[in-house]
Amino acid sequence: MANVDEKLEPILAEVLRRNAGELEFHQAVREVLESLGRVIAKHPNYADNALIERICEPERQIIFRVPWVDDTGQVQINRGFRVQFNSALGPYKGGIRFHPSVNVGIVKFLGFEQTFKNALTGMPIGGGKGGSDFNPRGRSDGEIMRFCQSFMTELHRHIGEYTDVPAGDIGVGGREIGYMFGQYKRLTNRYEAGVLTGKALFHGGSRARREATGYGATYFVERMLSTKGHNFEGKRVVVSGSGNVAIYTMEKVMEFGGKIVACSDSSGYVVDENGIDLDLVKEIKEERRGRISEYVGVKGAGSNWVEGGSIWDVACDVAMPSATQNELTGRDAKALIRNKVIAVGEGANMPTTPEAVRLFQEAGVLFAPGKAANAGGVATSALEMQQNASRDSWTFEQTENRLAMIMHNIHDTCATTAEEYGTPGDYVLGANIGGFVRVAEAMDALGII
């Protein structure tokens, strides 16, 4: 990993000072700035008019109280967030996350990453992110509905199809989006389908949206593998997580001929040398909302449950971290490299620590960063916006074909950009510079705003 160019060091220092304690945001900004020294050397005008400083500062940060009543009649209080990071390319676009870990620093890091990820798609969308420290686990449908309604009662005044278009993320799926859309419609008296994406099909949702992030990451990694004469056929693959992104990563990897040998959740991981039974995982996680440990009890012989520990100790050819930020550490990277991993594709947002990224790059492991590899979800959300605007509905095949094309274009943009700036095969630098240049050109054309 490169160091920050001396011309950019004061910018990073100011970001650290102004956003004290927001470690994930610091990490995301540092990673982008480490890539920009070569850009500033080639195009000094990008340093004019505090353009980089403006890119690192959100346009708007909204924090609000979310009061709701649980099933026992007790009033609960959570905190809601929406960070509208950059709208130079279009309305703010990014998911809503419900998880106890959510705070303003996490949301800012996600919104910053989203800005460049969205730029890489080539779609007319800016970057934003939102969420709450509400924990949906163990809550009834009624409690989740009341929370979502209260959350949207405040959020609705800040969003709209030409302003900010949220989607789902961790803890927010079709059920939660439905409750929020219902409240938005109730409060505004408008059936504005384009205000949220990830909706049910009968509310204008897009086919393949649920599958999009996992499918997209797999398309990207398949394209990346092909640059070295490889593909997924016959490869051992480990996918962390067992939520939406992980499940559909596994599904597409299997379609490409790969063998999934392990998946996980926050309590541990399952190893199945015969290949993970994806139908069983879907039954446990999507139908029963259970824990992945239940897999072994049903599957029996041939499968093994490991409580705690690191899923990255399982030998594989391809690793797909698809759970949460900073889940794959330097220690994990060393284990994967010892076991001769050839490629790592980030399905989650920033799941690999900087030390681990450096180790992969030094070892010559193909590495697909999340701001490029997991852009399939937001790309398909933008396709949903197109369908809503035209009152149209596409088939699953139409949507998936567009998704595959977008992911291949993102891969090629990253690869071409890395080569242009003298670091062929460095997808981190290619993604950072490719996304930055598109945002910077748009901001420069709008003047100082």
Side-chain angles (χ1 to χ4, degrees), residues 208-225:
R209 175 60 189 90
R210 180 174 58 174
E211 295 86 354
T213 305
Y215 278 20
T218 310
Y219 278 122
F220 188 101
V221 173
E222 175 83 353
R223 186 88 158 185
M224 183 173 71
L225 286 167

Side-chain angles (χ1 to χ4, degrees), residues 102-286:
V102 170
N103 57 46
V104 70
I106 294 281
V107 176
K108 280 164 68 176
F109 129 63
L110 292 168
F112 183 77
E113 287 278 292
Q114 196 80 45
T115 297
F116 302 108
K117 180 192 305 184
N118 293 0
L120 284 169
T121 69
M123 311 290 276
I125 44 177
K129 207 76 177 185
S132 173
D133 56 4
F134 170 73
N135 186 359
R137 181 173 296 165
R139 292 294 182 183
S140 70
D141 283 352
E143 288 175 321
I144 289 172
M145 180 187 70
R146 290 191 292 275
F147 174 82
C148 289
Q149 289 174 338
S150 182
F151 184 85
M152 184 54 74
T153 297
E154 174 59 32
L155 186 66
H156 85 280
R157 68 189 81 241
H158 306 291
I159 63 175
E161 63 177 313
Y162 300 111
T163 305
D164 185 353
V165 183
D169 194 71
I170 292 172
V172 178
R175 173 182 57 173
E176 291 77 17
I177 292 291
Y179 292 149
M180 286 190 276
F181 182 59
Q183 185 72 350
Y184 182 86
K185 188 172 79 72
R186 179 187 191 187
L187 292 166
T188 63
N189 194 31
R190 292 198 304 270
Y191 201 106
E192 190 180 327
V195 73
L196 287 163
T197 58
K199 302 180 296 299
L201 291 177
F202 46 75
H203 289 141
S206 173
R207 290 174 174 85
R209 175 60 189 90
R210 180 174 58 174
E211 295 86 354
T213 305
Y215 278 20
T218 310
Y219 278 122
F220 188 101
V221 173
E222 175 83 353
R223 186 88 158 185
M224 183 173 71
L225 286 167
S226 72
T227 66
K228 301 296 183 182
H230 297 294
N231 55 40
F232 274 109
E233 185 69 38
K235 299 290 191 300
R236 287 173 58 91
V237 182
V238 168
V239 179
S240 67
S242 51
N244 192 58
V245 177
I247 284 173
Y248 292 101
T249 296
M250 292 190 277
E251 183 168 279
K252 186 54 69 173
V253 167
M254 289 177 181
E255 285 183 28
F256 282 150
K259 180 182 180 182
I260 308 294
V261 293
C263 63
S264 64
D265 63 17
S266 58
S267 56
Y269 62 94
V270 166
V271 181
D272 191 338
E273 290 294 342
N274 296 317
I276 290 291
D277 182 336
L278 188 56
D279 288 337
L280 177 55
V281 173
K282 286 182 177 181
E283 180 188 333
I284 292 168
K285 301 301 291 188
E286 294 184 339

